[in-house]
Amino acid sequence: MTLRLILTSMATAARRNTSDRSSVLVNIVFFVVVASVMSALWRAAAEANGGEIVGYSVVAVTWYALAAEAATVSLNMRMIELVCDDIASGAVATELLRPASVLGVRISMAIGAALPRLAVCCAAAAVLGPIVGGAPPRALGVVLAIPALVLAIACNLVAQHAVAAAAFWARDVRAVWFLYQKIVFVLGGMVLPLQVLPDGLERTAMLLPFMTMAYVPSRLAAGFIEPELLLLQVAWLGVLLVTAHLVFTAGERRLQVVGG
Amino acid sequence: MTTTVIATRSLSKTFSMRARTIEAVRDISFEVARGERLAYIGPNGAGKSTSIKILTGILHPTAGEATVLGYVPWRDRRKLTMRIGTLFGQRSQLWFELTPRQSFRMLAAVYRMDARVAERRVAELGELLDATDLFDAPARTHSLGQRMRCELAACLLHGPEIVFLDEPTIGLDLLAKQRFRELLVTLNEEAGITIFLTSHDVADIEHVARRAIVINHGSVIHDADVAAMRRTLLSRKLVEVTFADEVPAPMLSGVEVLAHTGTTLELAVDTDVRSVRDVLDEVLGDRRVVDITVLDPPLEDVIAEIYQS
Amino acid sequence: MSVIAATMRAALAEAWSNRSAFWTQVTAIVLNDIVWIVFWVLFFRRVGPMRGWDGDSVLVLLAVLATSAGISFGILANGRRIGWFAADGDLDAALSLPVSTLAYLLVRRVETVHLGDILFGVVLFAFVGDPTPARIAVYLFGVAVGVAVLTGFLVLTGSMAFFTGRTTIGDMGFNAMMILSSYPVDIFVGASKVLLYSVVPAAFIAAVPARLIEDPTAADALGGVVAALVFCVGGWVAFSLGLRRYTSGAAWTRA
C-alpha cells in the first residue's frame, strides 16, 4: 500500500463527493438542524443546572455539541452495512485481483469521502457556534479539535471495517451497524459528554476506542486543553488498523479457501 | 523468457457446502504458451469460473499444481496480478461511482505506473477501443457494451502479459460481441498478449480462439486446435424454414431432415459438404417463405459430439 | 377500500413470512430504542427537571414517538419513499390499478424493522405511562395525531420530487423530522420553537401528545387536530398535483 495509492484514493473519493452540489447543501442543512438541536438541549441542561453541567459551561457545551455532530454527520455510519454487502456479493473477492491491499484502498477512499463533508460541517459550525452559544471558550481548543476530528473520523471508519469483516464468516451481520451506531452514540460521547455517565461507565468508556470517535474532538472544542487526547487517538488508530488488517486478511484467506 | 506461461497439473477444487460436496474442478492438466489465444469452453457450472479464479490466485485448489508466469497464483498473488489483466464479465473492475478516467488514475497508482505513462496509455486505449468519449462519464451511466470497453481498457492499462477473461461477452448484443472479439484478436496479434477466455458461447471459439479446451463437469474433455475442431465438429448448422404452403422434404447430400411437418422443415446441414446458401437456394426455390432461422448447434450438442468422437 | 385493506394484509403477511428475519429485526430496533431510554435516564439524572420536562415525561414522549413512528414507517412504510418513486418514475405499476394511488402506495409495503418500534412504544407506555383508561384514550389520540402529521409531512415533502426531479427535499424532511421529534419541544426557544409547530411539525409527533397525556388542554388537542388535518390534506394535495404532472409525461423528459 504505497503513499501514492493512499493519497490518490483519498483525493479521488473527496473529489467525487464535492461534485454533487445538492448533497453538499443537504449536508449543511442536516448538520445545522442536528447541531442546533443537540446544543439547544445541552444549553438548556446547563442553564437548568445553574449555568454549568458536569463541568461544562453553557458555551463549552455548545461547542461540545457542534464538534460531536461534525464527527457524526461527516461520515457514513452505515459503512458496516455497505462493506458487508460487498463481501457477501463477491465484490471484495474481485478486488483481490488488484495488487493492492483491499482494506487499504477502501479505508483511504472512505476517509477521503468524509473529509469534504467534515470541512463543510466545520465551516457551518464556525458560523452557527457564535450565533447560538458565543465564541469558543478557548481558541486553542478549536484549533486542536480539527486534527482531532480527522482522527475521529479515521478511527470510526477503520473500526467499522473491522466489524464488517465478520461478514467473511457470518451471513447476517448487516444489521450490526445499528448497534455499533448506538454504542458510539453513548460510549463515544456523541450524544452526551462522557462525564454525564455514572462513574463506572465513564471509566469504562474512557478505556474503549469509541471515545476517540467523538468525545476527544468535542472535549477539545469545549475548551479543555488536553492534547494527550490526540496521542490517545493516534494510538487507538494504530490498534484499530492492525485489528482491521488482521481480520480482513484472515477473511480474505477464508475466501480463497472456501470460495466467494 | 520461457514460452509456457500457464501450466496446470492435476488441478482439483472441491467445495463443501452444508450437506453436499461439489467437485467444481477435477484433475485438470494443460499448458498454455506465450501468445496463444485460448478459449476455455463449457456449459454453465462446468468449472470455468473456478478454474480462472484458481489461475488468478483468488481461490486455493484442493489438490494439484499450477503456475502462471512462473508464480504459484494463490501464493504470489500480489506479484502475479502486477503482470496479468483480468476481466470478469459479471463483475466490474471499475469503481461504480467514479468516471472510468478516475478509475484509471486509481489503477495507475495500484499498478505503480508512472502517471504520465499511464495517461498516454489511457489515450492509446481510448483510441484502440473507440471509447475515449466514455471515459469522463460515471461508469454507472454506461450501457453494458460501453462498460465492457472501459473494463477492457482498465484491464490492459498496466500492460499485462496475459489477459484472463471470464464470460466477457455475456449480455452484449451481437454487434458489441463481434467488436469485442475483434479487439481481443488485435491485442493478441499486435501486442502479443496471451488471451485466456472462458465462455459458454461457441462463437467465441470460432472468432477468437486458435485453441479450445472444452470442460464439462469439472474435467477437460477436449483440447485441440480450433481449426481441427471446426473440421470435425463445428461444421453443422441448423436451418428452420416455415413456408406458406406445404413442401416436400428435400433429399440433398449433406442435409439431414430433423423434422418435417407439412409447412415447416428443420434441417441439419453439414457445411463441409454443402453450404447453407446452397441448401437455402435448393429448398426455397421460388416458394413463399414465412420465416427462416439459421442456428449454430447448441453447445450441449457440440459437447455431446465431443464425448462421442 | 377493501382493496387497500387487502393490500395491507398482504404486506403484513409478507413481513411475517420470514420469521427469523422478523424477530431479528424487531429485537434490533427494540435494543436501539432502549438506548434512547438509557440516554434520557442518564440525562435527567444529571440535570433534574428542565423546562417542564423530566425523566418520566420524556419516557412517555418516547413511547408515543416509537408508536407513531413505528406505524408510519412500519405499516405505511412507503410514506418516506414517495419521493424516490416520483423521481425514478416508478409509479406505473400503482397507477395501472383501479385504486387511489396514494392510499395503495402507502399500505403496499410493510417495513418489518419498525414494527418493533410499535411493540416497544406500547410496552413502554404500559410501564411508564400510568395507563388508566383516560390516559390510554389520550395516548391513542396522540398516536393518531402523530401518525397523521408524520405521514402527511413525509408525503408532502416527498411529493416535491414530482416538481424538482430530485428526492433531496423529501430526504431532508425525513431526517429532520426524525431528529427533532425525539426531543422535548420546550428545550427550544423563540424562532426555532415556532418552526417546530409549523413548517417542520416535529412537536406534534410526540411532544404535544405526551404533554396531552400528562396535562390535557383544549389548546394542545385542537392544535393536534389542526396539524393533522393541515398535513394530511397538504400531503394529499401535493401528491395529486404531482401525480398529474407525472402522468402528463413531464417526469420522463427529466433524464
Side-chain angles (χ1 to χ4, degrees), chain A residues 5 16 18 42 62 66 74 78 85 87 95 98 101 110 126 134 146 153-154 165-166 173 193-194 196 202 225 248 251:
Chain A
L5 184 52
R16 199 199 83 74
T18 44
W42 287 103
T62 304
L66 290 175
S74 304
R78 301 184 74 147
D85 281 347
I87 292 174
E95 288 166 31
R98 297 183 201 128
S101 160
I146 294 181
I153 285 171
V173 213
L194 291 181
V196 170
E202 182 190 346
I225 308 303
F248 239 78

mmCIF file of all heavy atoms in Angstrom, chain A residues 5 16 18 42 62 66 74 78 85 87 95 98 101 110 126 134 146 153-154 165-166 173 193-194 196 202 225 248 251:
data_model
loop_
_atom_site.group_PDB
_atom_site.id
_atom_site.type_symbol
_atom_site.label_atom_id
_atom_site.label_comp_id
_atom_site.label_asym_id
_atom_site.label_seq_id
_atom_site.Cartn_x
_atom_site.Cartn_y
_atom_site.Cartn_z
ATOM 1 N N LEU A 5 -0.826 5.588 -3.476
ATOM 2 C CA LEU A 5 -2.145 4.969 -3.604
ATOM 3 C C LEU A 5 -3.099 5.511 -2.543
ATOM 4 O O LEU A 5 -4.273 5.776 -2.821
ATOM 5 C CB LEU A 5 -2.024 3.449 -3.508
ATOM 6 C CG LEU A 5 -3.311 2.655 -3.719
ATOM 7 C CD1 LEU A 5 -3.997 3.046 -5.009
ATOM 8 C CD2 LEU A 5 -3.010 1.166 -3.710
ATOM 9 N N ARG A 16 -15.023 13.194 -5.802
ATOM 10 C CA ARG A 16 -16.341 12.712 -6.181
ATOM 11 C C ARG A 16 -17.411 13.264 -5.263
ATOM 12 O O ARG A 16 -18.515 13.590 -5.680
ATOM 13 C CB ARG A 16 -16.387 11.185 -6.160
ATOM 14 C CG ARG A 16 -17.530 10.648 -6.965
ATOM 15 C CD ARG A 16 -17.854 9.236 -6.574
ATOM 16 N NE ARG A 16 -18.696 9.165 -5.408
ATOM 17 C CZ ARG A 16 -19.992 9.461 -5.409
ATOM 18 N NH1 ARG A 16 -20.575 9.854 -6.502
ATOM 19 N NH2 ARG A 16 -20.701 9.368 -4.304
ATOM 20 N N THR A 18 -17.425 16.104 -3.716
ATOM 21 C CA THR A 18 -17.664 17.531 -3.810
ATOM 22 C C THR A 18 -18.370 17.891 -5.108
ATOM 23 O O THR A 18 -18.835 18.992 -5.281
ATOM 24 C CB THR A 18 -16.358 18.332 -3.750
ATOM 25 O OG1 THR A 18 -15.396 17.676 -4.580
ATOM 26 C CG2 THR A 18 -15.822 18.406 -2.345
ATOM 27 N N TRP A 42 -28.377 20.681 25.416
ATOM 28 C CA TRP A 42 -27.374 20.743 26.474
ATOM 29 C C TRP A 42 -27.242 22.139 27.064
ATOM 30 O O TRP A 42 -26.929 22.300 28.249
ATOM 31 C CB TRP A 42 -26.022 20.216 25.951
ATOM 32 C CG TRP A 42 -26.084 18.735 25.789
ATOM 33 C CD1 TRP A 42 -26.231 18.048 24.638
ATOM 34 C CD2 TRP A 42 -26.075 17.767 26.839
ATOM 35 N NE1 TRP A 42 -26.315 16.714 24.893
ATOM 36 C CE2 TRP A 42 -26.214 16.499 26.231
ATOM 37 C CE3 TRP A 42 -25.958 17.836 28.231
ATOM 38 C CZ2 TRP A 42 -26.234 15.322 26.965
ATOM 39 C CZ3 TRP A 42 -25.974 16.658 28.963
ATOM 40 C CH2 TRP A 42 -26.117 15.416 28.328
ATOM 41 N N THR A 62 -22.069 23.996 24.211
ATOM 42 C CA THR A 62 -22.478 24.294 22.832
ATOM 43 C C THR A 62 -21.430 23.790 21.850
ATOM 44 O O THR A 62 -21.738 23.107 20.872
ATOM 45 C CB THR A 62 -22.660 25.812 22.633
ATOM 46 O OG1 THR A 62 -23.593 26.296 23.588
ATOM 47 C CG2 THR A 62 -23.155 26.116 21.235
ATOM 48 N N LEU A 66 -21.435 20.899 18.880
ATOM 49 C CA LEU A 66 -21.098 21.168 17.479
ATOM 50 C C LEU A 66 -20.028 20.201 16.975
ATOM 51 O O LEU A 66 -20.130 19.648 15.884
ATOM 52 C CB LEU A 66 -20.612 22.618 17.315
ATOM 53 C CG LEU A 66 -21.686 23.701 17.494
ATOM 54 C CD1 LEU A 66 -21.052 25.080 17.439
ATOM 55 C CD2 LEU A 66 -22.749 23.581 16.424
ATOM 56 N N SER A 74 -20.321 13.817 9.296
ATOM 57 C CA SER A 74 -19.357 13.742 8.193
ATOM 58 C C SER A 74 -19.203 12.360 7.604
ATOM 59 O O SER A 74 -18.773 12.217 6.469
ATOM 60 C CB SER A 74 -17.978 14.209 8.663
ATOM 61 O OG SER A 74 -18.068 15.496 9.196
ATOM 62 N N ARG A 78 -23.381 3.817 8.127
ATOM 63 C CA ARG A 78 -23.853 2.541 7.593
ATOM 64 C C ARG A 78 -22.782 1.855 6.765
ATOM 65 O O ARG A 78 -23.067 0.942 6.014
ATOM 66 C CB ARG A 78 -25.106 2.783 6.760
ATOM 67 C CG ARG A 78 -26.205 3.418 7.562
ATOM 68 C CD ARG A 78 -27.458 3.566 6.764
ATOM 69 N NE ARG A 78 -28.111 2.287 6.578
ATOM 70 C CZ ARG A 78 -29.424 2.132 6.506
ATOM 71 N NH1 ARG A 78 -30.203 3.173 6.624
ATOM 72 N NH2 ARG A 78 -29.950 0.945 6.308
ATOM 73 N N ASP A 85 -22.282 -6.000 2.565
ATOM 74 C CA ASP A 85 -22.911 -6.316 1.290
ATOM 75 C C ASP A 85 -21.863 -6.656 0.243
ATOM 76 O O ASP A 85 -22.025 -7.594 -0.529
ATOM 77 C CB ASP A 85 -23.738 -5.125 0.793
ATOM 78 C CG ASP A 85 -25.078 -5.026 1.491
ATOM 79 O OD1 ASP A 85 -25.455 -6.014 2.162
ATOM 80 O OD2 ASP A 85 -25.733 -3.980 1.396
ATOM 81 N N ILE A 87 -18.855 -7.789 0.694
ATOM 82 C CA ILE A 87 -18.215 -9.072 0.981
ATOM 83 C C ILE A 87 -19.126 -10.201 0.522
ATOM 84 O O ILE A 87 -18.704 -11.136 -0.156
ATOM 85 C CB ILE A 87 -17.896 -9.216 2.483
ATOM 86 C CG1 ILE A 87 -16.808 -8.220 2.883
ATOM 87 C CG2 ILE A 87 -17.452 -10.643 2.806
ATOM 88 C CD1 ILE A 87 -16.521 -8.188 4.373
ATOM 89 N N GLU A 95 -11.877 -7.581 -5.924
ATOM 90 C CA GLU A 95 -10.844 -6.593 -5.601
ATOM 91 C C GLU A 95 -9.517 -7.248 -5.282
ATOM 92 O O GLU A 95 -8.463 -6.624 -5.375
ATOM 93 C CB GLU A 95 -11.319 -5.718 -4.428
ATOM 94 C CG GLU A 95 -12.419 -4.753 -4.835
ATOM 95 C CD GLU A 95 -13.133 -4.135 -3.652
ATOM 96 O OE1 GLU A 95 -12.495 -3.959 -2.597
ATOM 97 O OE2 GLU A 95 -14.339 -3.839 -3.783
ATOM 98 N N ARG A 98 -6.508 -7.111 -7.732
ATOM 99 C CA ARG A 98 -5.586 -5.987 -7.862
ATOM 100 C C ARG A 98 -4.439 -6.176 -6.877
ATOM 101 O O ARG A 98 -4.642 -6.604 -5.755
ATOM 102 C CB ARG A 98 -6.280 -4.672 -7.513
ATOM 103 C CG ARG A 98 -7.403 -4.320 -8.431
ATOM 104 C CD ARG A 98 -7.966 -2.968 -8.021
ATOM 105 N NE ARG A 98 -9.312 -2.817 -8.524
ATOM 106 C CZ ARG A 98 -10.360 -2.470 -7.791
ATOM 107 N NH1 ARG A 98 -10.214 -2.233 -6.512
ATOM 108 N NH2 ARG A 98 -11.550 -2.361 -8.340
ATOM 109 N N SER A 101 -3.709 -3.607 -1.273
ATOM 110 C CA SER A 101 -4.487 -4.006 -0.114
ATOM 111 C C SER A 101 -5.938 -3.583 -0.299
ATOM 112 O O SER A 101 -6.238 -2.404 -0.460
ATOM 113 C CB SER A 101 -3.906 -3.350 1.138
ATOM 114 O OG SER A 101 -4.856 -3.327 2.168
ATOM 115 N N ALA A 110 -12.832 5.842 1.943
ATOM 116 C CA ALA A 110 -13.867 6.238 2.893
ATOM 117 C C ALA A 110 -13.461 7.511 3.627
ATOM 118 O O ALA A 110 -14.269 8.429 3.808
ATOM 119 C CB ALA A 110 -14.125 5.106 3.889
ATOM 120 N N ALA A 126 -18.514 27.055 12.431
ATOM 121 C CA ALA A 126 -17.856 28.340 12.697
ATOM 122 C C ALA A 126 -18.860 29.481 12.644
ATOM 123 O O ALA A 126 -18.712 30.489 13.332
ATOM 124 C CB ALA A 126 -16.739 28.564 11.687
ATOM 125 N N GLY A 134 -22.009 31.630 21.443
ATOM 126 C CA GLY A 134 -20.935 32.580 21.692
ATOM 127 C C GLY A 134 -19.618 32.036 21.179
ATOM 128 O O GLY A 134 -19.545 30.933 20.646
ATOM 129 N N ILE A 146 -9.588 20.317 15.299
ATOM 130 C CA ILE A 146 -9.675 19.988 13.869
ATOM 131 C C ILE A 146 -8.894 18.727 13.517
ATOM 132 O O ILE A 146 -9.472 17.793 12.926
ATOM 133 C CB ILE A 146 -9.275 21.202 13.014
ATOM 134 C CG1 ILE A 146 -10.334 22.295 13.241
ATOM 135 C CG2 ILE A 146 -9.207 20.832 11.536
ATOM 136 C CD1 ILE A 146 -10.128 23.549 12.472
ATOM 137 N N ILE A 153 -12.750 10.619 12.706
ATOM 138 C CA ILE A 153 -13.373 10.004 11.537
ATOM 139 C C ILE A 153 -12.593 8.782 11.097
ATOM 140 O O ILE A 153 -13.168 7.734 10.772
ATOM 141 C CB ILE A 153 -13.461 11.038 10.403
ATOM 142 C CG1 ILE A 153 -14.584 12.005 10.720
ATOM 143 C CG2 ILE A 153 -13.698 10.385 9.059
ATOM 144 C CD1 ILE A 153 -14.625 13.172 9.805
ATOM 145 N N ALA A 154 -11.272 8.892 11.091
ATOM 146 C CA ALA A 154 -10.441 7.761 10.698
ATOM 147 C C ALA A 154 -10.675 6.575 11.625
ATOM 148 O O ALA A 154 -10.890 5.447 11.174
ATOM 149 C CB ALA A 154 -8.967 8.168 10.688
ATOM 150 N N ALA A 165 -15.857 -6.986 8.782
ATOM 151 C CA ALA A 165 -15.127 -8.178 8.347
ATOM 152 C C ALA A 165 -15.780 -9.458 8.852
ATOM 153 O O ALA A 165 -15.524 -10.536 8.336
ATOM 154 C CB ALA A 165 -13.675 -8.106 8.809
ATOM 155 N N ALA A 166 -16.636 -9.338 9.858
ATOM 156 C CA ALA A 166 -17.358 -10.530 10.335
ATOM 157 C C ALA A 166 -18.143 -11.176 9.210
ATOM 158 O O ALA A 166 -18.437 -12.371 9.242
ATOM 159 C CB ALA A 166 -18.292 -10.141 11.483
ATOM 160 N N VAL A 173 -24.730 -10.108 9.173
ATOM 161 C CA VAL A 173 -24.132 -9.151 10.093
ATOM 162 C C VAL A 173 -24.508 -7.709 9.774
ATOM 163 O O VAL A 173 -24.147 -6.789 10.483
ATOM 164 C CB VAL A 173 -22.585 -9.255 10.063
ATOM 165 C CG1 VAL A 173 -22.024 -8.960 11.437
ATOM 166 C CG2 VAL A 173 -22.150 -10.615 9.597
ATOM 167 N N PRO A 193 -21.716 14.340 26.783
ATOM 168 C CA PRO A 193 -20.340 14.350 27.281
ATOM 169 C C PRO A 193 -20.159 13.156 28.217
ATOM 170 O O PRO A 193 -21.046 12.862 29.019
ATOM 171 C CB PRO A 193 -20.244 15.675 28.059
ATOM 172 C CG PRO A 193 -21.402 16.493 27.603
ATOM 173 C CD PRO A 193 -22.468 15.531 27.193
ATOM 174 N N LEU A 194 -19.046 12.452 28.086
ATOM 175 C CA LEU A 194 -18.863 11.220 28.841
ATOM 176 C C LEU A 194 -18.973 11.426 30.347
ATOM 177 O O LEU A 194 -19.284 10.489 31.089
ATOM 178 C CB LEU A 194 -17.514 10.580 28.495
ATOM 179 C CG LEU A 194 -17.431 10.008 27.080
ATOM 180 C CD1 LEU A 194 -16.073 9.367 26.846
ATOM 181 C CD2 LEU A 194 -18.539 8.986 26.847
ATOM 182 N N VAL A 196 -21.240 12.728 31.847
ATOM 183 C CA VAL A 196 -22.632 12.534 32.260
ATOM 184 C C VAL A 196 -22.868 11.098 32.722
ATOM 185 O O VAL A 196 -23.752 10.818 33.528
ATOM 186 C CB VAL A 196 -23.598 12.875 31.090
ATOM 187 C CG1 VAL A 196 -25.027 12.463 31.393
ATOM 188 C CG2 VAL A 196 -23.525 14.348 30.758
ATOM 189 N N GLU A 202 -18.379 5.691 32.992
ATOM 190 C CA GLU A 202 -17.486 6.708 32.438
ATOM 191 C C GLU A 202 -16.073 6.171 32.336
ATOM 192 O O GLU A 202 -15.396 6.334 31.317
ATOM 193 C CB GLU A 202 -17.516 7.962 33.310
ATOM 194 C CG GLU A 202 -16.643 9.087 32.761
ATOM 195 C CD GLU A 202 -16.495 10.240 33.746
ATOM 196 O OE1 GLU A 202 -17.275 10.297 34.725
ATOM 197 O OE2 GLU A 202 -15.614 11.078 33.530
ATOM 198 N N ILE A 225 -8.109 21.966 27.294
ATOM 199 C CA ILE A 225 -6.868 21.755 26.557
ATOM 200 C C ILE A 225 -6.164 20.531 27.103
ATOM 201 O O ILE A 225 -5.403 20.611 28.079
ATOM 202 C CB ILE A 225 -5.961 22.997 26.657
ATOM 203 C CG1 ILE A 225 -6.743 24.248 26.249
ATOM 204 C CG2 ILE A 225 -4.734 22.814 25.764
ATOM 205 C CD1 ILE A 225 -7.364 24.206 24.860
ATOM 206 N N PHE A 248 -9.321 -8.687 8.247
ATOM 207 C CA PHE A 248 -9.570 -8.688 6.817
ATOM 208 C C PHE A 248 -8.709 -9.728 6.102
ATOM 209 O O PHE A 248 -9.171 -10.445 5.226
ATOM 210 C CB PHE A 248 -9.296 -7.293 6.229
ATOM 211 C CG PHE A 248 -10.483 -6.696 5.548
ATOM 212 C CD1 PHE A 248 -11.505 -6.131 6.306
ATOM 213 C CD2 PHE A 248 -10.614 -6.718 4.178
ATOM 214 C CE1 PHE A 248 -12.617 -5.600 5.685
ATOM 215 C CE2 PHE A 248 -11.725 -6.183 3.555
ATOM 216 C CZ PHE A 248 -12.731 -5.623 4.311
ATOM 217 N N GLY A 251 -10.036 -13.034 6.732
ATOM 218 C CA GLY A 251 -11.247 -13.198 5.941
ATOM 219 C C GLY A 251 -10.938 -13.462 4.479
ATOM 220 O O GLY A 251 -11.539 -14.337 3.845
#
